[in-house]
Amino acid sequence: VTVVADQRRNVGDILASVRKTDIEGLQNISIVSVFPLEDNRKAVTLRAALQKATGTLTPEEMKACEQQIIGNLGNAGFPMRS
């Protein structure tokens, strides 16, 4: 997932916006890369590690986790990069 943030925003704020919400199956969220953009913005790429306590996540469960993460980031002011 790649989001856009103001250059002055700390990438820790991005991680915190995902971690503060209970997303079933989310084991870890980390920064893969940070790339400067025009207009004092940056693109931040995240990697999420998903794991189910019992069994394997279904494609539907993985998609639901992804949508929750994207929704949380958008609500926190970090829209997806288009």
Side-chain angles (χ1 to χ4, degrees), residues 4-19:
V4 176
D6 186 278
Q7 193 67 268
R8 296 172 300 226
R9 291 290 298 265
N10 186 322
V11 293
D13 295 342
I14 299 169
L15 294 174
S17 70
V18 176
R19 289 182 179 143

Side-chain angles (χ1 to χ4, degrees), residues 4 6-7 15 19-20 24 26-28 37 40-41 44 46 52 63 72 75 78 81:
V4 176
D6 186 278
Q7 193 67 268
L15 294 174
R19 289 182 179 143
K20 73 178 179 182
E24 186 177 349
L26 180 65
Q27 297 297 308
N28 188 35
L37 301 173
N40 265 345
R41 299 178 309 144
V44 181
L46 306 170
K52 191 173 178 180
K63 189 67 172 174
N72 291 348
N75 291 338
F78 304 110
R81 183 172 183 207

Side-chain angles (χ1 to χ4, degrees), residues 12-54:
D13 295 342
I14 299 169
L15 294 174
S17 70
V18 176
R19 289 182 179 143
K20 73 178 179 182
T21 316
D22 184 31
I23 299 174
E24 186 177 349
L26 180 65
Q27 297 297 308
N28 188 35
I29 187 85
S30 58
I31 302 291
V32 175
S33 67
V34 179
F35 186 80
L37 301 173
E38 297 175 356
D39 301 330
N40 265 345
R41 299 178 309 144
K42 60 187 168 188
V44 181
T45 302
L46 306 170
R47 176 177 294 136
L50 305 172
Q51 184 177 8
K52 191 173 178 180
T54 57

